[in-house]
Amino acid sequence: VEDAAVNPVIRAVGLTKALLPAMRARRSGRIVVISSVVGYVATPRRSAYAASKHALHGFFNALRAELWREQIGVTIVCPGYVRTAISIHALDSTGGRHGRLDPAQANAMAPEAFAFRLLNAVASGRDEVAIGGREILGIPLQRMLPSVMVRILRKMSVS
């Protein structure tokens, strides 16, 4: 099955495996992978996307645990809503292209503001960073009160 959500995972892992020997030889470096808040909080109508982000978290969290003695860091970046065309290119329930900008995307953080916060997180050696608006509050809520998060997600209107 050709799955658009799986290909970025394969590319991220493949690129990491290709670069890792040089990082290991230098005994330094930082791997930065872009995941999503959806890597923690799976939202309606985004099951394949959520699965791919969960896969990134699993792989790169394990890799971080394997590489720390070699002074190689791993930063997982979890964007919330950023004003990009991601919803336009998302798949709908039939596997076709969604084709429109969702309101949450249209009213989201500017890409430049996201980039500034990402660069600061990487420069400070953060293992993980969630960058966004109030949607990132879903991460601790999912961890601490998953049954509350379930009720919130049931009420979400995601096109």
Side-chain angles (χ1 to χ4, degrees), residues 79-143:
Y81 293 117
V82 179
R83 201 174 318 123
T84 67
I86 192 169
S87 64
I88 294 171
H89 301 293
L91 301 179
D92 66 18
S93 61
T94 68
R97 196 165 162 216
H98 181 63
R100 63 185 180 278
L101 189 63
D102 289 341
Q105 232 56 60
N107 298 312
M109 172 185 290
E112 299 81 9
F114 169 78
F116 179 78
R117 292 178 60 188
L118 179 149
L119 290 172
N120 284 334
V122 172
S124 65
R126 300 266 308 266
D127 290 331
E128 188 169 311
V129 61
I131 303 171
R134 63 185 181 166
E135 67 277 5
I136 67 174
L137 298 174
I139 296 170
L141 190 56
Q142 176 69 37
R143 287 178 178 163

Side-chain angles (χ1 to χ4, degrees), residues 6-31:
V6 174
N7 285 335
V9 175
I10 293 168
R11 285 194 296 270
V13 171
L15 179 60
T16 299
K17 287 185 173 190
L19 295 173
L20 208 46
M23 295 172 105
R24 282 187 152 139
R26 286 192 322 268
R27 295 190 60 81
S28 70
R30 177 157 296 274
I31 297 162

Side-chain angles (χ1 to χ4, degrees), residues 53-75:
K53 299 309 176 182
H54 281 75
L56 286 174
H57 282 246
F59 180 82
F60 286 97
N61 280 328
L63 191 63
R64 181 188 305 114
E66 295 168 9
L67 295 175
W68 71 272
R69 284 188 177 94
E70 298 174 66
Q71 286 73 54
I72 299 169
V74 175
T75 299

